[in-house]
């Protein structure tokens, strides 16, 4: 993909030491652009940022879960005890077990949760996508679909998810990859992603409202204590926030304003800074501790949004 525009600067002792380039789009509630930077029309792999769309397809296929369970299906969870218990409850309610999960085994995503895991082997349950995969399996069970092949792009479940992507985004899926968890990964442009999440946020369909409301009401389930999506949703009423691997982010407001970005180098560094600068274009100010640069244990600089992104 193209490098894009410089979105973040890492400043040490008043000198720019490093930069992070990428592609960023901010739209208003009508879909009109407020800020456009970089290549917004080439397809990217949105990674875990689009789990809410996958969850919408599961509900449409007949899945019935509680709001907390639904939020975990949309999550890249930190791997806390509560996260794992909720994933197990999704499986148990469908007469399934942990052994049915086929996502890539891993240790918990969260720093403290990974430390608490210790030297235990990675597991599919501990991996951050276990909520999504539990939901996928439960959806298969409802429909009497084969559970052993649920990750196959040709499986009825994945075809239903593909249809949901195309319906919400208005863009045909032209490329299918494999996500880190092993599930199919449907490529979309950033412009199509923004359109999909605007439609999701503004939808009057009960299915879409259930998904968005479950995440907004259970922000810890969507990510974890101290993690950026949870922090932002806790601080600002009506926000939906979901990150994805390789530097992808989507944020929507209750009105349907949307922020999406993809960092060219795949870095997550500076995501908080970029979120705060981007939200300021919508008149939203968030009180969170800013990202700093240390030298000798002291603050000697900062991560800041580039002039292209700064507002006001």
């Amino acid at each position: 993909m193209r490098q894009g525009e410089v979105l973040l600067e890492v400043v040490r002792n008043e000198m720019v030491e490093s930069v992070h380039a990428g592609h960023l789009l901010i739209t208003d509630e009508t879909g009109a652009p407020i800020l456009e930077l970089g290549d917004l029309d080439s397809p990217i792999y949105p990674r875990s940022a689009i789990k809410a769309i996958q969850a919408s397809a599961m509900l449409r296929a007949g899945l019935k879960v509680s709001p907390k369970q639904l939020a975990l299906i949309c999550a890249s969870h930190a791997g806390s005890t509560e996260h794992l218990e909720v994933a197990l409850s999704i499986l148990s309610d469908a007469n399934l077990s942990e052994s049915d999960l086929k996502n890539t085994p891993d240790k918990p995503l969260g720093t403290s949760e990974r430390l608490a895991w210790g030297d235990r082997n990675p597991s599919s349950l501990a991996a951050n996508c276990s909520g999504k995969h539990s939901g996928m399996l439960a959806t298969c069970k409802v429909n009497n679909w084969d559970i052993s092949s649920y990750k196959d792009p040709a499986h009825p479940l994945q075809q239903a998810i593909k249809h949901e992507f195309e319906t919400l985004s208005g863009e045909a899926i032209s490329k299918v990859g494999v996500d880190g968890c092993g599930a199919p990964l449907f490529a979309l442009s950033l412009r199509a992603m923004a359109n999909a999440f605007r439609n999701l946020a503004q939808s009057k369909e009960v299915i879409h409202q259930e998904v968005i409301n479950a995440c907004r009401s259970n922000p810890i389930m969507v990510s974890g204590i101290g993690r950026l999506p949870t922090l932002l949703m806790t601080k600002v009423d009506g926000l939906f926030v979901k990150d994805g691997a390789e530097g992808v982010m989507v944020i929507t407001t209750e009105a349907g304003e949307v922020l999406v970005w993809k960092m060219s180098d795949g870095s997550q560094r500076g995501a908080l800074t970029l979120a705060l600068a981007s939200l300021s274009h919508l008149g939203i100010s968030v009180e969170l501790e800013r990202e700093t640069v240390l030298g000798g244990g002291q603050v000697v600089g900062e991560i800041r949004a580039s002039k292209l992104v700064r507002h006001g």
Side-chain angles (χ1 to χ4, degrees), residues 132-195:
K132 178 182 78 174
H133 282 258
S134 297
M136 287 181 170
L137 283 165
T139 305
C140 290
K141 198 73 174 195
V142 168
N143 289 278
N144 293 315
W145 292 334
D146 180 56
I147 64 170
S148 65
S149 61
Y150 74 92
K151 296 189 299 180
D152 188 324
H155 191 283
L157 169 68
Q158 302 303 338
Q159 288 298 301
I161 290 172
K162 178 175 178 282
H163 180 72
E164 193 77 18
F165 271 65
E166 292 179 333
T167 300
L168 281 171
S169 70
E171 181 174 284
I173 299 298
S174 59
K175 178 70 175 175
V176 181
V178 181
D179 209 340
C181 65
L185 188 59
F186 301 110
L188 288 171
S189 68
L190 280 175
R191 205 179 297 279
M193 269 186 67
N195 193 46

Side-chain angles (χ1 to χ4, degrees), residues 4 13 20 50 56 77 86 96 101 106 155 194 197 218 228 255 299:
N13 297 109
H20 294 292
I50 44 64
S56 295
H77 64 73
V86 173
L96 295 162
L101 290 169
D106 200 358
H155 191 283
F197 279 94
N218 297 276
L228 183 56
V299 175

